């Protein structure tokens, strides 16, 4: 199809064609060579005197690159085996930088071209090899960097001491090489090499002050990347032996780990078909901070140049690492019904990677991002395969932390779902709830969580209907430490309790908005009752520890004995000791009834319990200690629990909770720990079934098989004679 003719009115204005020299182009289009010429923020690290700090810094890409190009030339000479020391000085005003090495220099006739003409250098031949037949590893490949720095400087003074000719000469380039001065060639004494002193152009960079911290960072990074090469910055020496692993140790000495360091040799063919050998050195270290919730960090260098924007090597290393870890944990994750995602593995992890290779290819002159290389691809795969197994064996704790993080994330998601479920649940009517009738002043209301439906029957007739409510448990409640959030939500009893009080899993309890200001456990005074109380404590503490800080969670102790005096008066005793005290004080006891459970309590006993001013308040002295103790008592790992049960010292359980008698009248007295205290008391009660007025005790062995706990013991029948097993059975 032919292009259509366009009708235009009048004479068209033509574009003005200009031709600019490289100086103008470099100074006015500096971003094409050195990157952004604006101040930006960069997340990196800064070295302190003996530490390293990650933070956001103000970073000027173009200005930093202009200085790095001079340093990179020194590194290239080091790769060729000529440089052992590099000195850098920054003046106090931050405007003049000096870089000097002890290399061999280059022919003096090429000084002006090297520093004022683009496409001038010694590293264009990618097929060049050293005396051993290995391809050279270099940073400078385009012949642009040093010339661009000179063309964007107000003054640029170069002194070259050429090793082979034993001559030195100095060139001074002024105002971006508009003016050039030179000295005559002369012999020198001392070391050979190149010395560059320059002041960047304020016109080009707007602010020509060089950041001392960032320049020091670059010097130290170069020292870490080149073990054995000595660097000096303003008189401070930096020399390392173990390379980037020492950088990992600088980040955190106790959390650093060397993954591996290796050299790979491969056969290569140059552009001209000549056979050569290539060598790639790769080093990888980690800093593993299991307590951190920060996303992963990648610190990487290719031929000593920092690859801030990553690239192929980042993606390859990270993906291989993630896939291997997932395969390693696949079976355990399935068993625990967990889905491990990338962030579970990478969170808190810092990669420190260094690669030295022939002819690396970057996306631009800034060298911030590496592009794919076939040989490097193969090397990275072999490297990761070789060292992953060893790394995992040495870092089993790391695998455990990944599972813990996956569990936490899974639990968090469950809590979010539980929060949604709880909002719907609040609107539902709880059929098993015996609710308090008070509607406005709910802060005056108390909810009794009772053991069994029979206890609710006694509670119904004895309670203060306006302020007291109750809900019954069916057997022992669930151990929430070994259950999923989904299982807990599907548990009808816990769902009813939460709906009755106004609690939602995943949301903190707001005490002023609860339907009951006091939650009182009312269970049998035996071992099972103690277990129920501790399981309920575990439930409330796991999801709403703030209830314990507010004094909401309490325990009502049911009387173990009902004592009828001769005038029909009834008194109650909670323990054997209290019963003994009553026996000594009251001589005319007609009947003693031992209650095996709440279902056997008389209405008077229920009224006695519910009308008491004092309940046992559960307080927590140390949240972390209590959390750890509950984990021991209810967690999946049974070993700590066995050790606790074998330890009979009270100190082994004392840190968990402290129970205190609290009352509206302000009276208070200390009491023992709820679960342990109840268990010990119940064991003693089992041994003493009947206590008589005379003071003689009928043990379980004497009483035989027949239960006599509810029988009346009159003064005439018991007298002072011993009750034998035979007589007891006939009775």
């Amino acid at each position: 199809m032919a292009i259509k003719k366009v009708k235009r009115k009048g004479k068209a204005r033509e574009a003005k064609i200009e031709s600019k020299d490289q100086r103008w182009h470099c100074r006015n289009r500096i971003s094409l060579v050195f990157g952004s010429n604006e101040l930006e923020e960069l997340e990196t690290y800064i070295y302190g005197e003996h530490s390293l700090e990650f933070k956001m810094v103000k970073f000027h890409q173009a200005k930093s690159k202009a200085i790095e190009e001079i340093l990179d030339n020194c590194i290239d000479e080091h790769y060729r085996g000529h440089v052992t020391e590099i000195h850098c000085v920054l003046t106090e005003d931050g405007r003049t930088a000096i870089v000097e090495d002890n290399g061999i220099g280059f022919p003096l006739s090429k000084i002006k071209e090297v520093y004022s003409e683009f496409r001038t250098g010694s590293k264009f031949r990618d097929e060049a090899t050293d005396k051993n037949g290995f391809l050279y590893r270099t940073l400078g490949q385009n012949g642009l960097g040093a010339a661009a720095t000179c063309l964007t400087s107000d003054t640029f003074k170069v002194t070259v001491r050429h090793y082979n000719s034993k001559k030195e000469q100095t060139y001074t380039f002024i105002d971006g090489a508009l003016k050039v001065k030179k000295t005559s060639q002369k012999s020198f004494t001392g070391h050979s090499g190149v010395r560059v002193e320059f002041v960047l152009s304020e016109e080009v960079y707007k602010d020509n002050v060089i950041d001392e911290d960032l320049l020091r960072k670059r010097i130290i990074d170069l020292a870490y990347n080149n073990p054995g090469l000595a660097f000096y910055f303003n008189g401070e020496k930096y020399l390392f032996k173990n390379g980037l692993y020492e950088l990992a140790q600088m980040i955190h000495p106790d959390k650093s780990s060397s993954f591996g360091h290796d050299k790979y040799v491969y056969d290569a063919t140059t552009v001209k078909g000549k056979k050569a050998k290539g060598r790639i050195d790769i080093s990888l270290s980690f800093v593993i901070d299991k307590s951190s919730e920060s996303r992963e960090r990648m610190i990487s260098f290719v031929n000593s140049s920092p690859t801030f924007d990553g690239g192929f090597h980042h993606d390859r290393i990270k993906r291989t690492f993630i896939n291997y870890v997932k395969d390693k944990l696949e079976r355990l994750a399935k068993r625990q019904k967990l889905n491990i995602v990338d962030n579970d593995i990478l969170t808190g992890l810092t990669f420190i990677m260094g690669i030295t290779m022939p002819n690396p290819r970057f996306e631009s002159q800034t060298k911030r991002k590496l592009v794919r290389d076939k040989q490097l691809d193969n090397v990275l795969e072999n490297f990761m395969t070789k060292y992953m197994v060893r790394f995992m064996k040495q870092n089993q704790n790391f695998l455990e932390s990944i599972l813990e993080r996956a569990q936490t994330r899974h639990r968090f998601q469950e809590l979010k779902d539980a929060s949604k479920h709880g909002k719907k649940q609040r609107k539902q009517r709880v059929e098993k709830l015996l609710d308090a009738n008070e509607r406005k002043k709910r802060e005056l209301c108390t909810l009794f969580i009772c053991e069994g439906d029979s206890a609710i029957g006694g509670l119904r007739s004895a309670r203060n209907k306006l302020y007291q409510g109750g809900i019954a448990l069916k057997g022992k409640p669930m151990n929430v430490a070994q259950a999923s959030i989904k299982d807990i939500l599907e548990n009808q009893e816990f769902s009813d309790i939460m709906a009755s009080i106004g609690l939602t899993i995943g949301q903190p309890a707001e005490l002023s908005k609860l339907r009951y200001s006091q939650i009182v456990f009312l269970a049998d005074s035996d071992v099972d009752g103690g277990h129920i109380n501790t399981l309920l404590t575990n439930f409330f503490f796991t999801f709403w520890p703030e209830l314990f800080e507010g004094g909401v969670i309490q325990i009502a102790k049911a009387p173990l004995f009902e004592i009828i005096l001769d005038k029909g008066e009834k008194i109650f005793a909670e323990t054997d000791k209290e019963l003994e005290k009553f026996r000594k004080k009251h001589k005319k006891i007609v009947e003693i009834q031992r209650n095996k459970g709440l279902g056997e309590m008389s209405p008077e006993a229920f009224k006695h319990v519910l009308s008491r001013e004092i309940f046992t308040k559960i307080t927590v002295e140390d949240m972390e200690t209590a959390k750890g103790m509950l984990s021991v008592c209810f967690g999946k790992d049974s070993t700590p629990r066995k050790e606790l049960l074998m330890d009979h010292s009270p100190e082994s359980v004392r840190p968990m909770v402290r129970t205190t008698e609290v009352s509206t009248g302000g009276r208070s007295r200390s009491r023992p720990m709820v679960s342990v205290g109840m268990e010990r008391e119940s064991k003693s009660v089992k041994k003493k079934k009947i206590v008589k007025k005379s003071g003689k005790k009928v043990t379980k062995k004497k009483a035989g098989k027949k239960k006599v706990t509810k029988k009346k013991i009159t003064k005439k029948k018991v007298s002072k004679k011993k009750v034998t097993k035979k007589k007891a059975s006939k009775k």
Side-chain angles (χ1 to χ4, degrees), residues 260-403:
H261 179 88
D262 219 336
K263 300 175 182 178
Y264 294 86
V265 177
Y266 60 91
D267 294 326
T269 304
T270 65
V271 178
K272 297 180 179 179
K274 182 182 176 182
K275 289 185 178 181
K277 291 184 292 183
R279 184 179 122 185
I280 297 178
D281 294 1
I282 181 168
S283 167
L284 180 62
S285 297
F286 288 107
V287 175
I288 304 172
D289 189 352
K290 293 180 288 186
S291 62
S292 174
E293 293 299 322
S294 302
R295 59 167 299 170
E296 80 279 4
R297 293 190 179 103
M298 300 288 290
I299 301 174
S300 64
F301 304 89
V302 176
N303 290 11
S304 302
S305 182
T307 46
F308 293 120
D309 297 335
F312 162 71
H313 57 317
H314 276 211
D315 301 336
R316 194 76 168 87
I317 290 284
K318 191 159 64 173
R319 181 46 52 194
T320 305
F321 184 80
I322 290 170
N323 290 343
Y324 187 93
V325 172
K326 283 184 176 180
D327 291 342
K328 186 77 174 174
L329 296 175
E330 183 179 11
R331 188 175 298 175
L332 280 172
K334 282 184 178 179
R335 190 183 303 166
Q336 298 183 25
K337 298 179 181 179
L338 296 173
N339 176 35
I340 296 177
V341 299
D342 292 359
N343 281 343
D344 295 333
I345 300 169
L346 298 176
T347 298
L349 199 62
T350 302
F351 294 74
I352 301 100
M353 184 192 330
I355 296 172
T356 309
M357 61 182 293
N359 307 317
R361 295 292 181 247
F362 301 95
E363 279 197 347
S364 67
Q365 178 68 19
T366 60
K367 303 182 179 72
R368 289 180 58 148
K369 189 172 184 178
L370 185 70
V371 299
R372 186 179 183 277
D373 181 271
K374 183 179 179 181
Q375 293 294 344
L376 181 60
D377 192 358
N378 296 331
V379 165
L380 292 177
E381 183 177 356
N382 294 333
F383 177 76
M384 295 301 289
T385 302
K386 179 177 179 180
Y387 289 101
M388 276 302 291
V389 175
R390 187 189 71 177
F391 175 80
M392 290 303 166
K393 285 182 180 179
Q394 294 175 348
N395 294 274
Q396 288 296 319
N397 291 338
F398 173 61
L399 296 177
E400 292 173 7
S401 69
I402 293 170
L403 285 174

Side-chain angles (χ1 to χ4, degrees), residues 460-500:
R460 187 185 299 275
S461 58
R463 71 180 179 125
N464 180 332
K465 295 182 180 180
L466 188 62
Y467 298 120
Q468 292 178 335
I471 190 168
L473 295 171
K474 189 179 290 184
K476 290 185 181 179
M478 175 189 294
N479 177 10
V480 297
Q482 297 185 24
S484 66
I485 301 295
K486 183 181 179 183
D487 293 336
I488 297 170
L489 293 175
E490 291 177 353
N491 183 277
Q492 190 60 50
E493 290 183 316
F494 279 151
S495 294
D496 289 344
I497 289 172
M498 288 187 286
S500 301

Side-chain angles (χ1 to χ4, degrees), residues 393-657:
K393 285 182 180 179
Q394 294 175 348
N395 294 274
Q396 288 296 319
N397 291 338
F398 173 61
L399 296 177
E400 292 173 7
S401 69
I402 293 170
L403 285 174
E404 289 174 6
R405 195 172 288 119
Q407 290 167 350
T408 302
R409 180 179 50 78
H410 181 69
R411 194 169 182 83
F412 178 75
Q413 185 58 47
E414 285 186 319
L415 290 173
K416 285 181 67 178
D417 297 339
S419 180
K420 295 177 183 178
H421 178 81
K423 291 178 181 179
K424 297 178 182 178
Q425 194 180 51
R426 286 181 184 180
K427 300 176 182 179
Q428 297 176 358
R429 183 176 176 272
V430 181
E431 294 182 1
K432 294 180 67 176
L433 174 64
L434 188 64
D435 203 1
N437 294 334
E438 174 61 44
R439 291 292 173 262
K440 294 183 180 180
K441 297 182 179 181
R442 295 299 298 190
E443 69 275 6
L444 301 177
C445 297
T446 301
L447 178 69
F448 291 88
I449 302 178
C450 305
E451 180 185 353
D453 292 332
S454 58
I456 279 289
L459 183 74
R460 187 185 299 275
S461 58
R463 71 180 179 125
N464 180 332
K465 295 182 180 180
L466 188 62
Y467 298 120
Q468 292 178 335
I471 190 168
L473 295 171
K474 189 179 290 184
K476 290 185 181 179
M478 175 189 294
N479 177 10
V480 297
Q482 297 185 24
S484 66
I485 301 295
K486 183 181 179 183
D487 293 336
I488 297 170
L489 293 175
E490 291 177 353
N491 183 277
Q492 190 60 50
E493 290 183 316
F494 279 151
S495 294
D496 289 344
I497 289 172
M498 288 187 286
S500 301
I501 301 169
L503 295 170
T504 301
I505 291 178
Q507 292 184 358
E510 296 184 47
L511 303 187
S512 60
K513 295 182 180 180
L514 298 181
R515 298 189 72 252
Y516 291 94
S517 63
Q518 294 184 96
I519 302 167
V520 183
F521 307 155
L522 185 57
D524 295 344
S525 297
D526 57 10
V527 175
D528 288 337
H531 289 171
I532 288 171
N533 287 334
T534 52
L535 286 165
L536 286 173
T537 300
N538 184 41
F539 168 64
F540 284 105
F541 186 83
T542 299
F543 299 109
W544 307 282
E546 58 273 12
L547 294 177
F548 294 82
E549 294 178 347
V552 176
I553 306 298
Q554 302 173 23
I555 292 179
K557 195 76 177 292
L560 192 61
F561 301 100
E562 297 185 26
I563 307 163
I564 302 175
L565 304 179
D566 57 348
K567 294 182 180 180
E569 182 185 356
K570 185 177 285 190
I571 56 178
F572 307 94
E574 293 182 2
T575 64
D576 294 295
K577 289 183 179 180
E578 287 188 13
L579 178 63
E580 291 297 327
K581 288 181 181 179
F582 283 129
R583 285 183 61 259
K584 291 177 181 178
K585 186 176 181 181
H586 301 281
K587 302 298 182 182
K588 298 180 180 179
I589 295 177
V590 177
E591 180 182 354
I592 299 174
Q593 175 180 317
R594 182 187 181 283
N595 297 319
K596 290 174 60 182
L598 297 173
E600 296 181 359
M601 283 171 51
S602 65
E604 294 86 356
F606 261 106
K607 284 187 178 181
H608 168 75
V609 173
L610 300 183
S611 62
R612 287 184 62 181
E613 294 181 352
I614 301 174
F615 291 117
T616 304
K617 179 181 177 182
I618 305 177
T619 58
V620 181
E621 293 181 353
D622 185 285
M623 284 290 177
E624 288 302 317
T625 306
K627 185 178 179 181
M629 180 55 68
L630 287 174
S631 176
V632 169
C633 293
F634 298 103
K636 292 182 180 181
D637 187 1
S638 61
T639 303
R641 190 157 48 252
K642 290 176 182 177
E643 293 174 356
L644 176 66
L645 293 174
M646 293 298 291
D647 184 2
H648 298 290
S649 62
E651 287 78 8
S652 63
V653 293
R654 190 172 295 163
M656 179 179 171
V657 292

